[in-house]
Amino acid sequence: MHRTPSLMPSLLMVAPSHYEVSYVINPWMQPTAWGNDPETHRHEAEAASAALHAALITAGAQVSLLPGVPGLPDMVFPANAAVVLNRRALVARFACQERRGEEAHFLAAFEALRLRGLLDVVEQYPAGVFQEGAGDAIWDDGRQLFWAGYGQRTQRASLAITEAFFAVPLVPLELVSPRFYHLDTCFLSLSGGEVLYYPPAFSDEGRASIEAVAGRDNVILAHDEDAAGFCVNAVNIGRHIVMARPPQRLRDELTERGYTVTSVDLDPFILSGGGAYCMTLRLDRQSEATPLEAAAE
Ligand code: ARG
């Protein structure tokens, strides 16, 4: 297969027109706070989504915007919709019944991207195997592998399916806290090889794997305030990092390592347990060569 590397990082977002916090499927969700003043929250959510969109464009990305769907408020978190690599999309199976209605809409959206020539293959995890997309499968471009979360929403059984479908290595990481129910809430892989992660979210084995694979010098430990502020749930594009309002300490550390940090107020989405990373889905990631292709060459 011949690859045409895309000129620009390409991200998917979903318009927040039908966003709200109306149910509780993670400990951060606050339907009562939302319901006290839905109009104000709705306006703030529109502004926050627009600010994120603008920051991503400034960071050098192109952003495709999908419309939202009434009754499916969490569609604004497309990181959970699929794992995408090498123009292949493997569409999620949601663990929570509240989000299962999203699957058909995302399948249709990825199929439309395929017909437009942006994807080659669209499939879905087998029925009964829960996996919540790129929120639990974070591509590490430098190491050419997926960091793969499981144990909260995503089932361990899905990992072998991810590995086989994409034919790339994967580092399994068990998530042990309901507050950090997706890997992207507590783990960020950066272009310079560093990983920012929040240790209490992981099993001992998971922490050991992160330290072993990343190497001590590449590890940046997130503090409680970073995790609670959804700063770890950030988008990294080249040397740019777009994140929910970081504490000065974290911003300084990332700046020292050569990154430009853009702070965005994402409070209306943190009310649903999400931040910048999960409000996007990266579509253009390519591995250097899949093992199958390498063998054929
Ligand atoms: N309310 C959504 C849920 O609980 C938030 C999802 C945030 N996504 C993420 N990848 N962290 O499913």
Side-chain angles (χ1 to χ4, degrees), residues 25-26 29 74 77 80 99 153 181-182 184-185 272-273 278:
I25 56 171
N26 72 58
M29 293 182 83
D74 280 340
F77 302 113
N80 300 129
R99 296 196 64 181
R153 302 283 185 83
Y181 56 92
H182 285 140
D184 66 4
T185 62
S272 188
C278 54

Side-chain angles (χ1 to χ4, degrees), residues 19 23-26 29 74 77 79-80 94 96 99 102 132 134-136 153 181-185 230 233 269 271-275 277-279:
Y19 174 65
Y23 50 73
V24 178
I25 56 171
N26 72 58
M29 293 182 83
D74 280 340
F77 302 113
N80 300 129
F94 285 94
C96 305
R99 296 196 64 181
E102 298 177 30
E132 296 200 352
D136 272 327
R153 302 283 185 83
Y181 56 92
H182 285 140
L183 181 63
D184 66 4
T185 62
F230 279 78
N233 192 265
F269 296 97
L271 271 190
S272 188
Y277 179 94
C278 54
M279 293 174 69

Side-chain angles (χ1 to χ4, degrees), residues 111-130:
E111 192 52 31
L113 290 173
R114 191 181 69 79
L115 293 174
R116 277 173 51 201
L118 297 173
L119 295 173
D120 293 328
V121 178
V122 178
E123 285 181 27
Q124 187 173 20
Y125 282 89
V129 178
F130 300 128

Side-chain angles (χ1 to χ4, degrees), residues 15 38 43 69 117 144 160 174 193 198 267:
H43 283 122
V69 174
Q144 295 283 300
E174 187 183 8
Y198 183 61
D267 287 357

